[in-house]
Coordinates of all heavy atoms in Angstrom, one line a residue:
V12 N 0.8 -1.2 0.0 CA 0.0 0.0 0.0 C 0.9 1.3 0.0 O 0.6 2.2 -0.7 CB -0.9 0.0 1.2 CG1 -1.6 1.4 1.3 CG2 -2.0 -1.1 1.1
E13 N 2.0 1.2 0.8 CA 2.9 2.4 0.8 C 3.5 2.7 -0.6 O 3.7 3.8 -0.9 CB 4.0 2.1 1.8 CG 3.5 2.1 3.3 CD 4.6 1.8 4.2 OE1 5.8 1.6 3.7 OE2 4.4 1.7 5.4
E14 N 3.7 1.6 -1.3 CA 4.4 1.8 -2.6 C 3.4 2.3 -3.7 O 3.9 2.8 -4.8 CB 4.9 0.4 -3.1 CG 6.1 -0.1 -2.3 CD 7.3 0.8 -2.5 OE1 7.4 1.5 -3.5 OE2 8.2 0.7 -1.6
V15 N 2.1 2.3 -3.4 CA 1.2 2.9 -4.4 C 1.4 4.3 -4.7 O 1.2 4.8 -5.8 CB -0.3 2.6 -4.0 CG1 -1.3 3.3 -4.9 CG2 -0.6 1.2 -3.8
G16 N 1.9 5.0 -3.7 CA 2.1 6.5 -3.8 C 3.4 6.9 -4.5 O 3.7 8.0 -4.6
V17 N 4.2 5.9 -5.0 CA 5.4 6.3 -5.7 C 5.1 7.1 -6.9 O 4.3 6.8 -7.7 CB 6.2 5.0 -6.1 CG1 7.4 5.3 -6.9 CG2 6.6 4.2 -4.9
G18 N 5.9 8.2 -7.1 CA 5.6 9.2 -8.1 C 5.9 8.6 -9.5 O 6.8 7.7 -9.7
R19 N 5.1 9.0 -10.5 CA 5.2 8.5 -11.8 C 6.6 8.9 -12.4 O 7.2 8.2 -13.2 CB 4.1 9.1 -12.7 CG 2.7 8.5 -12.4 CD 2.7 7.0 -12.5 NE 1.4 6.4 -12.4 CZ 1.1 5.2 -12.2 NH1 2.1 4.3 -12.1 NH2 -0.1 4.7 -12.2
D20 N 7.1 10.1 -12.1 CA 8.4 10.6 -12.6 C 9.5 9.6 -12.2 O 10.4 9.2 -12.9 CB 8.7 12.0 -12.1 CG 7.8 13.0 -12.8 OD1 7.3 12.7 -13.9 OD2 7.7 14.1 -12.2
L21 N 9.4 9.2 -10.9 CA 10.4 8.2 -10.4 C 10.3 6.9 -11.1 O 11.3 6.3 -11.4 CB 10.3 8.1 -8.9 CG 11.3 7.1 -8.2 CD1 12.7 7.5 -8.4 CD2 11.0 7.0 -6.7
L22 N 9.1 6.5 -11.3 CA 8.8 5.2 -12.0 C 9.4 5.3 -13.4 O 9.9 4.3 -14.0 CB 7.4 4.8 -12.0 CG 6.8 4.4 -10.7 CD1 5.3 4.1 -10.8 CD2 7.5 3.1 -10.1
K23 N 9.2 6.4 -14.1 CA 9.7 6.6 -15.5 C 11.2 6.5 -15.5 O 11.7 5.8 -16.4 CB 9.2 7.9 -16.1 CG 7.7 8.0 -16.4 CD 7.4 9.4 -17.0 CE 5.9 9.5 -17.3 NZ 5.6 10.8 -17.8
Q24 N 11.8 7.1 -14.5 CA 13.3 7.0 -14.5 C 13.7 5.6 -14.3 O 14.7 5.1 -14.9 CB 13.8 7.9 -13.3 CG 13.6 9.4 -13.6 CD 13.9 10.2 -12.4 OE1 14.6 9.8 -11.5 NE2 13.4 11.4 -12.3
R25 N 13.1 4.9 -13.3 CA 13.5 3.5 -13.1 C 13.2 2.6 -14.3 O 13.9 1.6 -14.6 CB 12.7 2.9 -11.9 CG 13.1 3.5 -10.5 CD 12.4 2.9 -9.4 NE 12.6 1.5 -9.3 CZ 11.9 0.6 -8.6 NH1 10.8 1.1 -8.0 NH2 12.2 -0.6 -8.6
A26 N 12.1 2.9 -15.0 CA 11.7 2.1 -16.2 C 12.8 2.2 -17.2 O 13.1 1.1 -17.9 CB 10.4 2.6 -16.8
F27 N 13.4 3.4 -17.4 CA 14.5 3.4 -18.4 C 15.8 2.9 -17.9 O 16.4 2.0 -18.5 CB 14.7 4.8 -18.9 CG 15.8 4.9 -20.0 CD1 15.5 4.6 -21.3 CD2 17.0 5.4 -19.6 CE1 16.5 4.6 -22.2 CE2 18.0 5.4 -20.6 CZ 17.7 5.1 -21.9
F28 N 16.2 3.4 -16.7 CA 17.4 2.9 -16.1 C 17.2 2.4 -14.7 O 16.7 3.2 -13.9 CB 18.5 4.0 -16.1 CG 19.8 3.5 -15.5 CD1 20.8 2.8 -16.3 CD2 20.1 3.8 -14.2 CE1 22.0 2.4 -15.7 CE2 21.3 3.3 -13.6 CZ 22.2 2.7 -14.4
P29 N 17.4 1.2 -14.3 CA 18.2 0.2 -15.1 C 17.3 -0.8 -15.8 O 17.8 -1.8 -16.4 CB 19.0 -0.5 -14.0 CG 18.1 -0.5 -12.8 CD 17.3 0.8 -12.9
L30 N 15.9 -0.7 -15.7 CA 15.0 -1.8 -16.2 C 15.0 -2.0 -17.7 O 15.0 -3.1 -18.2 CB 13.6 -1.6 -15.7 CG 13.5 -1.6 -14.1 CD1 12.1 -1.3 -13.7 CD2 13.8 -3.0 -13.6
T31 N 15.0 -0.9 -18.4 CA 15.1 -1.0 -19.9 C 16.6 -1.2 -20.3 O 17.0 -2.1 -21.0 CB 14.5 0.2 -20.6 OG1 13.1 0.3 -20.2 CG2 14.6 0.1 -22.1
F32 N 17.4 -0.2 -19.9 CA 18.8 -0.3 -20.2 C 19.6 -0.2 -18.9 O 19.4 0.7 -18.1 CB 19.3 0.9 -21.1 CG 20.8 0.9 -21.4 CD1 21.2 0.1 -22.4 CD2 21.6 1.7 -20.7 CE1 22.6 0.1 -22.7 CE2 23.0 1.7 -20.9 CZ 23.5 0.9 -22.0
P33 N 20.4 -1.2 -18.6 CA 20.9 -2.2 -19.5 C 20.3 -3.6 -19.3 O 20.8 -4.6 -19.9 CB 22.4 -2.3 -19.1 CG 22.4 -2.0 -17.7 CD 21.3 -1.1 -17.4
L34 N 19.2 -3.7 -18.5 CA 18.7 -5.1 -18.2 C 18.0 -5.7 -19.3 O 18.2 -6.9 -19.7 CB 17.9 -5.0 -16.9 CG 18.6 -4.6 -15.6 CD1 17.6 -4.5 -14.5 CD2 19.7 -5.6 -15.3
T35 N 17.0 -5.0 -19.9 CA 16.2 -5.6 -21.0 C 16.8 -5.4 -22.3 O 17.0 -6.4 -23.1 CB 14.8 -4.9 -21.0 OG1 14.2 -5.1 -19.7 CG2 13.9 -5.6 -22.0
V36 N 17.2 -4.2 -22.7 CA 18.0 -4.0 -23.9 C 19.4 -3.6 -23.5 O 19.7 -2.4 -23.2 CB 17.3 -2.8 -24.8 CG1 18.1 -2.6 -26.0 CG2 15.9 -3.2 -25.1
G37 N 20.2 -4.6 -23.5 CA 21.6 -4.4 -23.0 C 22.6 -4.2 -24.2 O 22.2 -4.0 -25.3
P38 N 23.8 -4.2 -23.9 CA 24.9 -4.0 -24.9 C 24.8 -5.0 -26.0 O 25.1 -4.8 -27.2 CB 26.2 -4.0 -24.1 CG 25.9 -4.7 -22.8 CD 24.4 -4.3 -22.5
G39 N 24.4 -6.3 -25.6 CA 24.3 -7.3 -26.6 C 23.2 -7.1 -27.6 O 23.4 -7.2 -28.8
S40 N 22.0 -6.7 -27.1 CA 20.9 -6.4 -28.0 C 21.2 -5.2 -28.8 O 20.9 -5.2 -30.0 CB 19.7 -6.1 -27.1 OG 19.4 -7.2 -26.3
I41 N 21.8 -4.1 -28.3 CA 22.2 -2.9 -29.1 C 23.2 -3.3 -30.2 O 23.0 -2.8 -31.3 CB 22.7 -1.8 -28.1 CG1 21.6 -1.3 -27.2 CG2 23.3 -0.7 -28.9 CD1 22.1 -0.3 -26.2
S42 N 24.2 -4.1 -29.8 CA 25.1 -4.5 -30.9 C 24.5 -5.2 -32.0 O 24.8 -5.0 -33.2 CB 26.2 -5.4 -30.2 OG 26.9 -4.7 -29.2
V43 N 23.6 -6.2 -31.7 CA 22.9 -6.9 -32.7 C 22.0 -6.0 -33.5 O 21.9 -6.1 -34.7 CB 22.0 -8.1 -32.1 CG1 21.2 -8.7 -33.1 CG2 23.0 -9.1 -31.4
A44 N 21.3 -5.1 -32.8 CA 20.4 -4.2 -33.6 C 21.2 -3.3 -34.5 O 20.7 -3.1 -35.7 CB 19.6 -3.3 -32.6
I45 N 22.3 -2.8 -34.1 CA 23.2 -2.0 -35.0 C 23.6 -2.8 -36.2 O 23.6 -2.3 -37.3 CB 24.4 -1.4 -34.2 CG1 23.9 -0.4 -33.2 CG2 25.4 -0.8 -35.1 CD1 25.0 0.2 -32.3
T46 N 24.0 -4.0 -35.9 CA 24.5 -4.9 -37.0 C 23.4 -5.2 -38.0 O 23.6 -5.2 -39.2 CB 25.0 -6.2 -36.4 OG1 26.0 -6.0 -35.5 CG2 25.5 -7.1 -37.5
I47 N 22.1 -5.5 -37.5 CA 21.0 -5.7 -38.3 C 20.7 -4.5 -39.2 O 20.4 -4.6 -40.4 CB 19.8 -6.1 -37.5 CG1 20.0 -7.5 -36.9 CG2 18.5 -6.1 -38.4 CD1 18.9 -8.0 -36.0
G48 N 20.7 -3.3 -38.5 CA 20.4 -2.1 -39.3 C 21.4 -1.8 -40.4 O 21.1 -1.4 -41.5
A49 N 22.7 -2.1 -40.1 CA 23.7 -1.9 -41.1 C 23.5 -2.9 -42.3 O 23.7 -2.6 -43.4 CB 25.1 -2.1 -40.5
A50 N 23.1 -4.1 -41.9 CA 22.9 -5.2 -43.0 C 21.7 -4.8 -43.9 O 21.8 -4.9 -45.1 CB 22.7 -6.5 -42.3
L51 N 20.7 -4.3 -43.3 CA 19.5 -3.9 -44.1 C 19.8 -2.7 -45.0 O 19.4 -2.6 -46.1 CB 18.3 -3.5 -43.1 CG 17.7 -4.7 -42.3 CD1 16.6 -4.1 -41.4 CD2 17.1 -5.7 -43.2
S52 N 20.6 -1.8 -44.5 CA 20.9 -0.6 -45.3 C 21.9 -0.9 -46.5 O 21.8 -0.3 -47.5 CB 21.6 0.5 -44.4 OG 20.8 0.9 -43.4
S53 N 22.7 -1.9 -46.2 CA 23.8 -2.2 -47.3 C 23.3 -3.2 -48.3 O 23.8 -3.2 -49.4 CB 25.0 -2.7 -46.6 OG 24.8 -3.9 -45.9
T54 N 22.3 -4.0 -47.9 CA 21.9 -5.1 -48.9 C 20.6 -4.8 -49.6 O 20.4 -5.4 -50.7 CB 21.7 -6.4 -48.1 OG1 20.7 -6.2 -47.1 CG2 23.0 -6.9 -47.4
E55 N 19.8 -3.9 -49.1 CA 18.6 -3.6 -49.8 C 18.7 -2.4 -50.8 O 19.6 -1.5 -50.6 CB 17.5 -3.3 -48.7 CG 17.3 -4.4 -47.7 CD 16.8 -5.7 -48.3 OE1 16.3 -5.6 -49.4 OE2 17.1 -6.7 -47.7
K56 N 17.8 -2.4 -51.8 CA 17.8 -1.3 -52.7 C 16.4 -1.0 -53.1 O 15.5 -1.8 -53.0 CB 18.6 -1.7 -54.0 CG 20.1 -1.9 -53.8 CD 20.8 -2.3 -55.0 CE 22.3 -2.5 -54.8 NZ 23.0 -2.9 -56.1
G57 N 16.2 0.2 -53.6 CA 14.9 0.7 -54.1 C 13.8 0.6 -53.1 O 13.9 1.0 -51.9

């Protein structure tokens, strides 16, 4: 019940760091995403 009053601003901060980065989307995911993006840009045309 005490935790219900936690401010949304604080929750937003926690949601991004550390819960989104680096826990959910970490350096491994970012590296793979960058590699995929580079592959799509270099191999596709038109």
Side-chain angles (χ1 to χ4, degrees):
V12 171
E13 291 177 1
E14 291 291 339
V15 173
V17 174
R19 290 303 191 194
D20 289 339
L21 179 59
L22 288 177
K23 287 180 181 179
Q24 295 173 17
R25 292 182 60 196
F27 181 77
F28 180 84
L30 293 175
T31 300
F32 179 82
L34 295 178
T35 305
V36 179
S40 304
I41 291 176
S42 300
V43 172
I45 292 175
T46 304
I47 290 175
L51 292 176
S52 300
S53 61
T54 58
E55 305 298 337
K56 294 181 180 179

